[in-house]
Amino acid sequence: MQKFPLTVVGANKLRAELEELKTVVRPRIIQAISEARAHGDLKENAEYHAAREQQSFAEGRIAEIEGKLSNANIIDVTKTEANGKVVFGATVEIEDLDSGKTVTYQIVGEDEANIKEGRISVGSPIARALIGKETEDVVTVKAPGGDIEYEIISVKYI
């Protein structure tokens, strides 16, 4: 089975969500189902059907998170010997050579990616272009609107 990269922070977030689902959400849903059953006829009981639907979503998410964690290759970038190179988990500051605009991204797993928070997937075009490069290297990213050149300003392992 294929292992998927995940940062320590990403793994901790998934574990926290799993714990919340198992200890808070699941018991609340079971209680709601129990209360709805007490109201009688289940065929026309909207509360019962809504609670069962919530249970289905929660159990699906629990199974999904457990699957992701079991297939995760958790990488602690602070313990990686990268020698200044861009690797999975690194935080990279890059400058667009055309516009002069700088932006900082952390390269993370697919499930952790969130562009608004500056986290990009290791499979994204920018991350693929950056992996293995060093500070002051110029990389070309093939974008739908044409090639974009970036210079790597800094690489951090935090």
Side-chain angles (χ1 to χ4, degrees):
M1 185 163 279
Q2 185 178 3
K3 293 284 191 178
F4 298 96
L6 193 63
T7 65
V8 173
V9 171
N12 289 339
K13 283 182 180 180
L14 283 177
R15 286 187 191 109
E17 182 181 352
L18 183 61
E19 184 68 20
E20 168 87 7
L21 286 167
K22 286 183 169 182
T23 61
V24 177
V25 175
R26 184 186 270 168
R28 186 180 69 226
I29 292 171
I30 291 170
Q31 179 66 32
I33 290 172
S34 175
E35 288 175 10
R37 273 195 173 136
H39 291 130
D41 185 13
L42 298 181
K43 289 181 185 173
E44 296 181 19
N45 189 331
E47 291 174 9
Y48 175 77
H49 293 290
R52 292 289 296 183
E53 190 172 318
Q54 285 179 338
Q55 182 182 34
S56 175
F57 284 124
E59 294 301 328
R61 183 65 180 151
I62 288 170
E64 180 184 3
I65 292 171
E66 287 175 339
K68 286 178 182 179
L69 288 173
S70 69
N71 292 320
N73 180 14
I74 300 171
I75 299 169
D76 185 352
V77 72
T78 61
K79 295 179 180 164
T80 303
E81 294 294 326
N83 299 322
K85 291 188 183 289
V86 177
V87 295
F88 178 84
T91 301
V92 185
E93 182 180 4
I94 56 176
E95 178 182 351
D96 183 329
L97 294 179
D98 289 337
S99 69
K101 180 182 172 192
T102 62
V103 65
T104 303
Y105 293 123
Q106 181 182 19
I107 300 173
V108 298
E110 285 183 28
D111 295 323
E112 303 171 82
N114 184 333
I115 194 71
K116 291 179 183 175
E117 295 175 6
R119 294 191 312 263
I120 58 172
S121 168
V122 69
S124 70
I126 295 175
R128 286 196 316 259
L130 292 171
I131 295 288
K133 304 296 190 285
E134 300 176 2
T135 302
E136 296 183 6
D137 283 354
V138 174
V139 297
T140 303
V141 177
K142 300 206 178 295
D147 291 353
I148 304 171
E149 288 192 327
Y150 293 101
E151 180 180 354
I152 299 173
I153 306 299
S154 68
V155 181
K156 297 176 187 149
Y157 310 103
I158 50 176

